[in-house]
Amino acid sequence: QVQLVESGGGLVQAGGSLRLSCATSGLTFSNYRMGWFRQAPGKEREFVAAIRRNGGDTRYAEFVKGRFTISRDNAKNTLYLQMNSLKPEDTAAYYCAADRSLGAIATRVRDYDYWGQGTQVTVSS
């Protein structure tokens, strides 16, 4: 049974930082492309960042470039998202996702096979 469990969300002031983690089980983590998405109330889920199996390539949404960093530890079966310089518009539920397909970076919701339950990030102004 595949499980993805996010943690690290919370309430932070604008300009602050948070580090999200996504602990995985039930899959061979190093064989999966991984991504972070977010969803604000009343909005569609949107791509934030993604990383290849070996961590050698990453991609970011324009609105987080230079502020967020995605990384993975294949030995710990864990995905991370370091979020700096947070803005109120970053407020959303953040989800990690796993995709077993071969190929390059995946940025679409439909590319991913497994999802976590989400962790809430709230940025106050």
Side-chain angles (χ1 to χ4, degrees):
Q1 179 181 359
V2 175
Q3 287 192 313
L4 284 67
V5 180
E6 301 95 337
S7 61
L11 174 64
V12 64
Q13 289 188 332
S17 298
L18 285 173
R19 188 192 194 203
L20 305 184
S21 298
C22 172
T24 71
S25 60
L27 53 76
T28 303
F29 182 69
S30 59
N31 288 348
Y32 283 72
R33 306 187 290 186
M34 299 296 296
W36 286 99
F37 291 75
R38 70 186 187 186
Q39 188 168 17
K43 295 188 177 182
E44 293 187 351
R45 192 167 296 190
E46 63 180 355
F47 170 74
V48 174
I51 189 168
R52 294 191 71 171
R53 289 171 184 77
N54 63 4
D57 189 20
T58 58
R59 187 170 299 175
Y60 298 91
E62 285 296 323
F63 52 77
V64 302
K65 278 186 178 179
R67 300 189 298 125
F68 291 10
T69 302
I70 188 172
S71 62
R72 64 191 296 162
D73 186 335
N74 286 350
K76 295 183 178 180
N77 299 327
T78 301
L79 178 72
Y80 303 99
L81 185 68
Q82 177 67 43
M83 305 188 296
N84 299 328
S85 302
L86 282 161
K87 305 175 181 180
E89 52 264 43
D90 294 320
T91 295
Y94 282 72
Y95 299 87
C96 67
D99 169 31
R100 60 191 166 192
S101 301
L102 299 176
I105 296 285
T107 62
R108 300 173 301 182
V109 170
R110 64 176 184 266
D111 290 331
Y112 287 83
D113 302 303
Y114 302 105
W115 293 83
Q117 83 290 346
T119 185
Q120 179 66 35
V121 171
T122 302
V123 184
S124 63
S125 57

